């Protein structure tokens, strides 16, 4: 599993987008050590220096990571097909892939909702272009590419049945605001699915800030209107956590 350490470390060195956004937008707040409920400290090697509920937010993977997201070994390493089979989907579900990246999950999920729709949401221009091109190449008529921003998914209220994030949540620069935006976009009874590398397992060779524990994820989502409904521990290196939107 050391391949993950090497690749993620290399990508993190290139991807300073989150840190630049943080620095540009909050110099005064940083001097005071706080920003709208977040704590600002000196960044660690792979972090932004911005903390939420005791957790340092990780640097964002940039568009240079597309080849890693699309690597041929991903199914074997992560068993993404099994993960998708556990998603709470119906043929007509309307779904949002938040931080869609290259669309590795987007287009696989789209095949599971032929009468539904998948919003592929990302904030990076290069990823948006990649997704648009990939949609055309695959003729994925039920995929809509959406450009979000650092604190909003830019989806209409009560428009989706499910949202999911695959190894993304730990990189959200504004997790509190993003969770509220997702919650607003979910319909009553809607679900939020998170896949995150297992922080509890030291054998998972991912940088620590790019892993999350069930305890930490549950604490953060509970504070933002979500209830843990199920915890799947059947994947090789990731947790699969399904949260329900609280009334």
């Amino acid at each position: 599993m050391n391949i993950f350490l090497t690749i993620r470390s290399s990508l993190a060195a290139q991807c300073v987008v989150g840190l630049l956004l943080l620095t540009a937008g909050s110099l005064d707040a940083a001097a005071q050590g706080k920003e709208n409920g977040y704590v600002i400290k000196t960044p660690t090697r792979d972090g932004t220096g911005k903390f939420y509920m005791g957790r340092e937010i990780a640097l964002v993977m940039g568009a240079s990571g597309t080849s890693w997201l699309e690597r041929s070994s991903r199914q074997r390493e992560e068993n993404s097909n099994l993960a998708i089979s556990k998603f709470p989907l119906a043929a007509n579900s309307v779904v949002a892939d938040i931080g869609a990246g290259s669309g590795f999950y987007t287009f696989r999920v789209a095949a599971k909702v032929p009468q539904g729709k998948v919003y592929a949401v990302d904030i990076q221009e290069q990823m948006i272009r990649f997704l648009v091109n990939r949609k055309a190449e695959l003729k994925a008529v039920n995929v809509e590419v959406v450009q979000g921003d650092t604190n909003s998914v830019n989806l209409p209220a009560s428009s989706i049945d499910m949202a999911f994030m695959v190894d993304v949540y730990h990189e959200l620069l504004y997790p509190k605001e993003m969770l509220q935006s997702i919650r607003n976009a979910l319909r009553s009874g809607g679900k939020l699915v998170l896949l995150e590398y297992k922080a509890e397992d030291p054998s998972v060779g991912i940088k620590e800030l790019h892993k999350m524990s069930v305890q930490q994820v549950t604490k953060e989502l509970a504070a933002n209107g979500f209830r843990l409904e199920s915890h799947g521990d059947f994947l090789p290196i990731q947790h699969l956590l399904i949260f329900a939107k609280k009334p």
Side-chain angles (χ1 to χ4, degrees):
M1 302 303 296
N2 288 339
I3 185 174
F4 291 111
L5 284 170
T6 303
I7 296 172
R8 290 303 288 248
S9 178
S10 175
L11 291 171
Q14 301 173 52
C15 305
V16 295
V17 175
L19 184 56
L20 290 174
L21 286 169
L22 172 63
T23 303
S26 2
L27 290 176
D28 291 339
Q32 298 174 7
K34 291 189 177 179
E35 180 207 350
N36 299 326
Y38 299 100
V39 176
I40 310 302
K41 300 181 183 179
T42 302
T44 63
R45 179 179 176 182
D46 301 300
T48 60
K50 184 174 182 178
F51 289 74
Y52 182 58
M53 300 188 76
R55 172 185 63 87
E56 185 178 9
I57 296 167
L59 287 170
V60 175
M61 175 186 286
S64 59
T66 300
S67 60
W68 188 74
L69 295 173
E70 293 290 328
R71 66 195 185 279
S72 60
S73 60
R74 188 169 182 181
Q75 164 59 26
R76 173 176 53 80
E77 293 160 355
E78 300 181 359
N79 203 344
S80 49
N81 290 341
L82 177 60
I84 292 170
S85 75
K86 302 297 183 180
F87 284 10
L89 296 170
N92 62 348
S93 293
V94 180
V95 182
D97 182 358
I98 311 300
S102 66
F104 182 88
Y105 270 78
T106 299
F107 299 105
R108 287 165 172 79
V109 170
K112 302 289 186 181
V113 292
Q115 285 84 53
K117 186 175 190 176
V118 179
Y119 292 104
V121 183
D122 209 277
I123 68 172
Q124 300 180 74
E125 293 282 358
Q126 286 176 281
M127 290 300 198
I128 293 294
R129 290 195 294 270
F130 187 95
L131 287 164
V132 169
N133 291 337
R134 189 70 170 147
K135 172 184 173 177
E137 178 186 335
L138 296 175
K139 297 181 173 58
V141 295
N142 64 335
V143 171
E144 181 175 337
V145 180
V146 176
Q147 184 154 18
D149 57 47
T150 56
N151 55 21
S152 174
V153 295
N154 290 343
L155 294 175
S158 302
S159 61
I160 58 175
D161 302 299
M162 187 190 92
F164 67 95
M165 288 184 271
V166 181
D167 308 319
V168 165
Y169 178 73
H170 63 272
E171 296 179 348
L172 295 179
L173 193 59
Y174 291 91
K176 179 173 61 174
E177 290 79 359
M178 285 293 284
L179 287 173
Q180 291 304 316
S181 178
I182 292 168
R183 191 174 184 279
N184 182 61
L186 285 168
R187 295 169 178 158
S188 177
K191 311 294 184 185
L192 172 57
V193 179
L194 297 186
L195 276 80
E196 286 286 341
Y197 293 114
K198 300 174 181 178
E200 301 89 339
D201 186 350
S203 70
V204 175
I206 295 290
K207 291 289 186 179
E208 288 304 314
L209 290 187
H210 291 273
K211 300 196 288 186
M212 290 202 70
S213 69
V214 176
Q215 181 181 19
Q216 184 68 29
V217 175
T218 303
K219 178 173 71 171
E220 295 184 24
L221 268 72
N224 289 282
F226 291 92
R227 173 180 54 82
L228 181 62
E229 190 170 82
S230 69
H231 167 213
D233 203 25
F234 43 77
L235 297 175
I237 56 177
Q238 295 159 297
H239 296 297
L240 192 154
L241 305 168
I242 300 178
F243 290 86
K245 174 182 175 179
K246 292 180 182 177

